[in-house]
Amino acid sequence: EINLLPGSIFPHLLFPLSFWELALDFDLLKCLQVGALPEIYLNDYGPDLLIEYIDTYLREEIMAEALVRNIASFSQFLNLAALSSGQEINYSQLASDSEIPKETLRRYFEVLAETLIIYKIPGFTKVKESRKAIQKEKFVFFDLGVRNGILGIVKNRMTSNDLGPLFEQWITIQILTYISYHKMSWKVFYYRDDKKTEVDLVIETKNKKIFGIEIKWGEKHSSEWGTGLKAFKNIAQGETSLLLLYRGSRALN
């Protein structure tokens, strides 16, 4: 018997616990280190459970989903993907570094995207013709604890060099969560061009309004942080607003 009820055609994605859901239980460093999967975040045994989750789900079920014949290469790929989280994907360079064929890498990344382990972030290209926008994709893991667990660093002491990129990825996850839960037709990009102008995130709304967002781990504002944003506003095609997110307590005009 086939169920053709309309309610069966609406997909609903569930994300890890968000900033808004955690409310008074929110701990930024904990989110960056062990992630925000409910049982893992809310219990002391979370890091140990995370390791089991990665071994039993990612390294077994995902490999089965991928119909992986070479288990060693897929396990190596997972580590490579975790290290590459938040960065542009250069398939040729990754293939050279890992000795995994480029087309195999593409297939593995597609499997992670299809199983919602990663979310792809394309490059924003709607800029004036004087700029050559980079079109490579970035991606982020759906949960930073999973990313750290794959690398075996979930219990490590994190430095500022570690936390800065993780903070940027966490903000990206929060935005993707908000857009999904509120069913907003917004698109998320990043921006980089041949003249070294970079913006961490670009959001294009349903009405084609553009938001350029720069994300910084620091607590003390630096005037240099806005350089890329100001350049982006001059070259973006459309009404553009700028946002700078950092850990300081002072709101910026």
Side-chain angles (χ1 to χ4, degrees), residues 3-249:
N3 184 352
L4 297 178
L5 291 175
S8 65
I9 65 174
F10 293 103
H12 295 279
L13 299 182
L14 285 177
F15 288 76
L17 293 170
S18 68
F19 165 78
W20 302 279
E21 291 170 312
L22 286 167
L24 295 178
D25 290 326
F26 173 69
D27 181 329
L28 177 59
L29 290 178
K30 192 172 183 179
C31 287
L32 300 187
Q33 182 114 18
V34 304
L37 293 174
E39 188 171 1
I40 290 167
Y41 184 91
L42 298 172
N43 293 284
D44 293 337
Y45 58 79
D48 295 320
L49 178 61
L50 183 60
I51 294 169
E52 292 297 320
Y53 166 81
I54 290 166
D55 288 340
T56 58
Y57 179 64
L58 286 186
R59 298 196 187 276
E60 292 182 15
E61 294 190 29
I62 297 297
M63 283 194 288
E65 179 76 20
L67 299 176
V68 175
R69 295 176 181 175
N70 189 334
I71 294 175
S73 75
F74 187 78
S75 184
Q76 179 188 2
F77 160 74
L78 276 180
N79 286 7
L80 193 66
L83 284 170
S84 303
S85 183
Q87 302 175 25
E88 294 171 7
I89 304 176
N90 185 327
Y91 291 104
S92 297
Q93 187 63 53
L94 289 177
S96 176
D97 292 343
S98 65
E99 298 184 351
I100 299 173
K102 183 165 66 173
E103 290 309 310
T104 300
L105 286 173
R106 288 183 185 275
R107 182 165 66 88
Y108 286 170
F109 273 112
E110 285 302 319
V111 168
L112 293 188
E114 289 169 2
T115 53
L116 305 180
I117 300 300
I118 64 172
Y119 295 103
K120 292 185 178 181
I121 312 294
F124 186 78
T125 58
K126 296 179 182 179
V127 292
K128 296 178 181 177
E129 294 180 0
S130 60
R131 299 292 178 118
K132 183 178 179 182
I134 303 300
Q135 298 185 41
K136 293 176 182 176
E137 294 175 320
K138 286 186 179 182
F139 73 90
V140 293
F141 270 74
F142 82 105
D143 179 74
L144 293 178
V146 171
R147 179 260 182 195
N148 296 338
I150 290 171
L151 296 174
I153 61 172
V154 74
K155 295 183 180 181
N156 287 15
R157 180 180 177 84
M158 297 283 187
T159 67
S160 294
N161 289 336
D162 301 316
L163 294 169
L166 290 174
F167 182 55
E168 180 181 331
Q169 293 172 63
W170 178 79
I171 291 290
T172 303
I173 295 167
Q174 301 311 295
I175 290 174
L176 292 172
T177 302
Y178 185 87
I179 290 172
S180 179
Y181 284 176
H182 289 80
K183 302 187 182 305
M184 305 170 86
S185 300
W186 292 5
K187 298 178 182 178
V188 179
F189 306 86
Y190 79 98
Y191 181 76
R192 186 169 72 85
D193 63 29
D194 59 330
K195 297 186 179 180
K196 297 183 179 180
T197 296
E198 297 186 32
V199 177
D200 292 330
L201 287 175
V202 177
I203 297 176
E204 184 179 38
T205 71
K206 182 179 180 180
N207 298 325
K208 304 302 180 183
K209 185 172 182 180
I210 297 166
F211 290 89
I213 303 173
E214 192 69 15
I215 304 164
K216 297 297 183 183
W217 175 249
E219 294 182 328
K220 187 175 181 180
H221 175 252
S222 169
S223 58
E224 297 178 357
W225 289 351
T227 303
L229 286 175
K230 292 175 183 176
F232 177 73
K233 186 168 186 176
N234 291 329
I235 59 177
Q237 296 179 352
E239 181 185 352
T240 305
S241 298
L242 306 178
L243 295 169
L244 175 62
L245 304 180
Y246 77 122
R247 292 191 304 131
S249 58

